[in-house]
Amino acid sequence: MPRGPKKHLKRLNAPRHWNLGKMGGVWAPKPSAGPHKQRECLPVSIILRERLKYALTGKECMQICMERCVKIDGKVRTDQNFPAGFMDVIELEKSGDRFRLLY
């Protein structure tokens, strides 16, 4: 019997607005508990990999986060599955880019 909340998320069960390909693998990053609901957010790894094309793999996303390069609403976030939501500002220190999430 499993105990506690599910820790995994299959790609087919991920929210449609993430626009993940059906054939791109089995798993999708499950958003951590945070300020936005699971169905109304985008994990940082999806933003870095799928939207901004800063990383090619999940491991590269983790390395970018662990180098403390990602700020969300002015706070450094090292969790690659941190849920970024509507009107959050995503700032990348090294490139000097700032984005506001409107999706």
Side-chain angles (χ1 to χ4, degrees), residues 50-69:
E50 308 291 334
R51 301 284 183 271
L52 300 176
K53 309 286 191 218
Y54 279 120
L56 295 175
T57 62
K59 187 170 184 175
E60 288 179 9
C61 293
M62 184 181 64
Q63 288 171 343
I64 291 170
C65 290
M66 287 302 166
E67 289 174 2
R68 304 178 68 84
C69 296

Side-chain angles (χ1 to χ4, degrees), residues 75-87:
K75 271 185 99 168
V76 174
R77 300 293 181 181
T78 57
D79 180 15
Q80 67 177 1
N81 294 325
F82 184 81
F86 185 66
M87 295 301 283

Side-chain angles (χ1 to χ4, degrees), residues 21-69:
K22 187 164 62 169
M23 305 298 283
V26 177
W27 304 106
K30 183 177 172 94
S32 305
H36 299 283
K37 295 180 182 176
Q38 180 180 349
R39 292 284 168 185
E40 299 171 0
C41 71
L42 273 172
V44 173
S45 58
I46 294 277
I47 295 169
L48 292 175
R49 191 173 61 200
E50 308 291 334
R51 301 284 183 271
L52 300 176
K53 309 286 191 218
Y54 279 120
L56 295 175
T57 62
K59 187 170 184 175
E60 288 179 9
C61 293
M62 184 181 64
Q63 288 171 343
I64 291 170
C65 290
M66 287 302 166
E67 289 174 2
R68 304 178 68 84
C69 296

